[in-house]
Amino acid sequence: MEDFDQILKKIKAELVTAFGDKWKDLSSESKKDIDQFLGDSEDKLKRWTFLLANGAIDLEDYEWLLKSQKDVMLMQALYSAGISKLKIGHLKNKAIKTILSVVKTLVL
């Protein structure tokens, strides 16, 4: 498995791009929310990525575990900036797909 710090950097870069594409004028809020989520979830993401890389779980299990983190993605800065809960929900789904895509590319 590639160094997890590199994987985390790639995930962050992809999330910043994905969020920036959606709300260019809210990039600082997006970055705050991404940093908060990745900080809160780093240990779990690292453990799950290690399990995936070693074949202890499959990609479907990994995706399920990521989805279990949706409530941790508070997106408080975006919400405070006036983004609706529905749009934030869509953004959370996009974040999960982005993380899944990065990990699949770098780990499997």
Side-chain angles (χ1 to χ4, degrees):
M1 180 174 90
E2 193 171 324
D3 177 36
F4 185 74
D5 289 336
Q6 294 302 320
I7 293 170
L8 199 60
K9 284 180 187 176
K10 180 70 172 169
I11 288 171
K12 182 177 179 180
E14 293 291 325
L15 288 175
V16 167
T17 298
F19 285 31
D21 289 347
K22 186 76 174 163
W23 291 294
K24 291 181 186 353
D25 55 331
L26 297 173
S27 64
S28 65
E29 288 87 348
S30 297
K31 287 178 186 173
K32 285 180 196 171
D33 285 338
I34 291 166
D35 287 341
Q36 181 72 44
F37 169 68
L38 292 177
D40 292 346
S41 302
E42 183 175 355
D43 291 339
K44 289 179 183 178
L45 289 172
K46 186 175 187 175
R47 183 173 54 248
W48 299 339
T49 302
F50 178 79
L51 291 171
L52 179 66
N54 290 309
I57 62 173
D58 62 18
L59 198 57
E60 190 175 300
D61 293 332
Y62 190 86
E63 183 176 6
W64 183 86
L65 290 166
L66 285 176
K67 287 179 179 178
S68 76
Q69 289 297 101
K70 278 175 77 168
D71 289 339
V72 176
M73 287 188 229
L74 299 176
M75 304 297 168
Q76 192 60 47
L78 285 172
Y79 184 70
S80 295
I83 304 300
S84 73
K85 287 185 178 185
L86 180 64
K87 287 182 180 179
I88 289 173
H90 292 303
L91 197 57
K92 289 178 180 184
N93 291 332
K94 176 126 177 105
I96 288 169
K97 288 178 185 175
T98 300
I99 294 168
L100 193 61
S101 174
V102 169
V103 168
K104 188 165 86 171
T105 301
L106 297 178
V107 175
L108 298 180

